[in-house]
Each structure stands twice: as structure tokens, then as C-alpha cells.
Amino acid sequence: MYDYLIVGAGLFGSVFAYEANKRGKKVLVIDKRNHIGGNIYTKQVEGINVHEYGAHIFHTSDKEIWDYIQQFAMFNRYTNSPIARYKDEVYNMPFNMNTFNKMWGVITPQEAKDKINQQIKEAGIIKPRNLEEQAISMVGKDIYEKLIKGYTAKQWGKPCTELPTFIIKRLPVRLTYDNNYFNDLYQGIPIGGYTQIIEKMLENIDVKLNCDFFNHKKEMEKIANKIIFTGMIDQYYNYQYGTLEYRSLRFETEVLNMVNYQGNAVVNYNEYEIPFTRIIEHKHFEYGNQAKTVITREYPRKWEKGDEPYYPINDDINNNLYKKYKALANKEKKVIFGGRLGMYQYLDMHNVIKEALLCVKREFNG
């Protein structure tokens, strides 16, 4: 008999397991995959720590969260500075003075501002009705056409004219020559990869892999006083109100017999005609100089039951459906839902840790 059964050996479940174990609770962690770590799992290939489920860069402005994660690994000084390719042109991301200089030859922030405002005025959009109109009313037509339109349509599987405005509203636009994607105070990659962090969190805790909760649901519900569930909330309730929507991803990874393939960890491919959204070259996350390199192409795809869900689609229809499941969850005495799938929201790693620690606080401090 366990105090807690934790469904999912990702970041949320592992933080909760670590904290519960520290408080003397008996914990079992299960995961349907054959490894721990969830989507932050990294594995070594040719001496390179490969981010199996896409690029993960840790960033936060919360010192408490930064100090917390530092217990488990030493972090390097990696700065996320992706670049975007459109045909044979290369642009810096996020949109900043380097981007505007390459796009229009402008040099000062005022020149860039004038150019953007001129294009916004020419577009004549008063009230944006969709993502295309929202983007043009923020950065003008040139940047939209080259750096937003194709990439976003691939990412979400719909043309920008059919996507809601909120997706693009938080787009970073800077009038400085700063290629750092995040504004956070702390940023880096764990030296040696992310898996070691989860290994340390789950030390001395019972872990069962290749174990699908839904294949053993009745038995699993009996072996612990409480369940921390980090899977899909709608699946837990057998989709009784309908299915929440997600976007999925397919990864294509290969080892190349060369030292350096693209010169940057992340390169976005912004043309719609190229089916993948980006190529990740993993060695650059840790400034590697190995003889070979490992790259991963990332293909967005429509999610269907049985696929791995990556991004919740938080439009009004899905958010309203989630509220129905949340109402059921609020009545539960034995089950707590957490993580990106359990809470049906896109959470960065630092947010996941914060939510897990809040859950611990509610559970043990009342």
C-alpha cells in the first residue's frame, strides 16, 4: 500500500514524488513510456545529450525556482537565440533590430518603428479578426509574410486566417540589438542533460515503467491512498464530455558524420512548403565539440487518440470543455490533476515546478 501513486514520471510528477518522499511518504511512480523524464528526457548519442522530445531551455525570473532546480544539476550559461530561415535568407529571432536591419536595411530603432508603422497603416486593419490581421497590425506585412505566415500555419495545421488572434499577441518585438529570446533573469541547460535531474528526484522511490495506468486502472486505484494524475484529464474521465484537442509532433533524428551542421542549436524553417518547423542540432546546447553531430527535424501534426499530445489548443471551445472536466476534478477526494495535460495548459518547465510545489504546499501544509 502506498501513500501516493503518481501517474507520469515527468517534471510535475517527479517534483511531487521527491517532496512527498522527503516527508516520509511511501510513493510509487508509474509511466507508460520506457523511460523517466517525460518530455524533458535526454539521452546520450555519440557523447551528445539529445533532447528526445524537442528543445528544452530552462528559463525563469523566479529565484526560488532557479535555486530549487540547481539542487539537481549544474546549469551552463546557454542563451536561447534561434534563427529563422526563409528561402535563402537568415533572420535573427525574436524580432529585434538585427531582424529589421536584415529585412529593410534600417539601423536605428526609430527607422524600424517608422517602417513597421508605415506597413501597419497601409494594411488599414482597424480590428483584427484573425491571426493574420493581428500579426500584420503588430509587425507589418513583410515580417508576417516571411517569418510568421508559413511557420504558424505548419505549427497549428490551419492557415493564419483561420487561427485566433490570441496565439500571436505575446509575440516578442524588440527595438534593441538583442537576440536573447527570453527576458528572464536566469537561463541555461543542465550540463549532462535533463534526465539526471529526474533520476535524482526519484532516487529511493519505487518506479514502474512500461506501465499504462488505464490498462490496470481498477488495481491502480486500490494501491494508494491518493493519486497524482499528470495524464490527459479528459482520458481519465473516459472522454465523457468529449475530447480535448491537442497538437502533436513527429521527430526525425539522425547522426551526421560532421562536426557542425547548422551553427546554431535551433533553426526555424519558415516556408510553408518545407514540412518541418525547425531543425535542432543538440550539441550546441552544451557547446559540444564531438566529432559527429545529431540533428532532429520537428514535424507538427494533427493529434488523434493514441498519439502523444504536446500542445493543448486553448481556444474558447476547448477551454469551455476543460472547465467541465475541471468541475469533476474539483469534487475528487482522492485524485489530484497536475502538469500540462492534467491542467490542460501550456506550461514552461519553471511553471511546472511552481505548480508542483504549490500542489505539495496544499497537500502537506493545508
Side-chain angles (χ1 to χ4, degrees):
M1 191 68 184
Y2 291 92
D3 295 304
Y4 292 94
L5 166 68
I6 297 173
V7 181
L11 196 50
F12 188 100
S14 299
V15 168
F16 190 95
Y18 174 77
E19 293 296 328
N21 183 55
K22 218 163 69 169
R23 288 162 174 78
K25 303 296 179 185
K26 193 164 167 50
V27 178
L28 171 65
V29 177
I30 65 167
D31 202 292
K32 66 180 180 182
R33 287 175 173 167
N34 64 359
H35 60 74
I36 59 171
N39 289 349
I40 67 169
Y41 173 68
T42 49
K43 75 169 184 186
Q44 278 224 347
V45 178
E46 298 290 340
I48 297 161
N49 291 304
V50 171
H51 296 213
E52 280 280 284
Y53 302 97
H56 283 82
I57 296 103
F58 198 93
H59 59 97
T60 182
S61 289
D62 188 329
K63 189 172 187 310
E64 195 183 323
I65 299 297
W66 183 244
D67 289 344
Y68 185 85
I69 198 74
Q70 299 285 309
Q71 304 172 75
F72 306 104
M74 186 184 284
F75 280 67
N76 67 17
R77 55 167 188 81
Y78 181 82
T79 300
N80 189 29
S81 305
I83 59 171
R85 277 187 65 166
Y86 178 78
K87 299 188 175 171
D88 292 327
E89 299 166 13
V90 174
Y91 294 93
N92 289 105
M93 301 287 285
F95 305 140
N96 67 69
M97 286 304 300
N98 290 309
T99 323
F100 308 141
N101 174 264
K102 181 75 183 275
M103 185 78 67
W104 301 308
V106 297
I107 291 168
T108 68
Q110 190 58 52
E111 288 171 340
K113 208 188 282 187
D114 290 346
K115 188 72 181 172
I116 291 169
N117 287 339
Q118 178 200 330
Q119 292 200 353
I120 292 170
K121 194 176 174 187
E122 284 167 4
I125 296 160
I126 309 298
K127 192 178 178 197
R129 294 164 300 174
N130 53 49
L131 191 147
E132 174 169 293
E133 292 185 356
Q134 180 68 46
I136 292 170
S137 68
M138 287 168 70
V139 290
K141 197 171 181 186
D142 290 346
I143 287 177
Y144 168 71
E145 289 287 343
K146 289 187 175 184
L147 301 180
I148 296 173
K149 187 178 180 179
Y151 186 94
T152 308
K154 286 191 286 189
Q155 185 73 12
W156 294 100
K158 288 178 183 176
C160 292
T161 49
E162 292 176 24
L163 289 168
T165 58
F166 78 86
I167 292 174
I168 204 88
K169 279 183 177 173
R170 288 173 57 205
L171 186 76
V173 179
R174 298 194 191 125
L175 294 170
T176 56
Y177 286 91
D178 179 8
N179 297 326
N180 181 2
Y181 199 86
F182 302 120
N183 283 318
D184 287 309
L185 195 54
Y186 310 106
Q187 183 176 172
I189 303 264
I191 298 163
Y194 284 96
T195 305
Q196 57 173 326
I197 292 173
I198 305 299
E199 281 170 352
K200 286 171 191 165
M201 287 179 178
L202 298 181
E203 241 169 48
N204 307 316
I205 291 172
D206 291 347
V207 177
K208 200 173 178 187
L209 300 174
N210 299 306
C211 179
D212 190 325
F213 174 78
F214 294 101
N215 292 343
H216 313 276
K217 195 168 182 234
K218 283 186 178 166
E219 169 201 334
M220 288 291 170
E221 284 171 335
K222 290 176 190 162
I223 62 170
N225 297 325
K226 274 198 169 179
I227 295 170
I228 307 295
F229 186 81
T230 70
M232 297 187 297
I233 189 169
D234 53 340
Q235 186 184 14
Y236 184 86
Y237 289 111
N238 202 26
Y239 308 104
Q240 67 185 55
Y241 295 130
T243 306
L244 290 165
E245 285 185 286
Y246 301 87
R247 284 295 281 166
S248 193
L249 294 168
R250 178 172 70 82
F251 301 101
E252 192 179 272
T253 298
E254 63 176 308
V255 178
L256 301 177
N257 197 15
M258 61 175 72
V259 173
N260 189 354
Y261 174 72
Q262 63 185 16
N264 205 50
V266 181
V267 176
N268 293 352
Y269 282 75
N270 289 46
E271 292 157 78
Y272 185 75
E273 293 70 26
I274 293 173
F276 47 86
T277 46
R278 58 184 180 173
I279 296 181
I280 297 158
E281 188 169 9
H282 302 269
K283 73 192 309 179
H284 296 305
F285 289 129
E286 296 183 56
Y287 311 103
N289 55 10
Q290 296 89 348
K292 293 184 181 181
T293 194
V294 181
I295 64 165
T296 300
R297 293 177 193 86
E298 202 168 290
Y299 297 82
R301 56 189 278 190
K302 180 179 166 60
W303 177 85
E304 284 167 6
K305 280 183 191 174
D307 292 341
E308 205 60 57
Y310 287 93
Y311 303 105
I313 298 177
N314 289 116
D315 57 14
D316 290 343
I317 293 168
N318 284 292
N319 286 344
N320 288 331
L321 181 56
Y322 168 68
K323 280 176 190 167
K324 291 184 179 180
Y325 286 116
K326 181 77 171 87
L328 289 180
N330 290 341
K331 293 176 190 164
E332 295 282 355
K333 297 278 188 283
K334 188 174 174 175
V335 185
I336 298 166
F337 294 86
R340 190 184 284 192
L341 305 181
M343 297 166 80
Y344 196 67
Q345 57 178 296
Y346 184 87
L347 296 168
D348 285 324
M349 288 178 282
H350 62 289
N351 297 131
V352 173
I353 293 171
K354 191 168 192 171
E355 290 294 339
L357 291 174
L358 283 170
C359 182
V360 166
K361 201 173 179 183
R362 286 192 297 268
E363 189 65 11
F364 297 111
N365 301 352

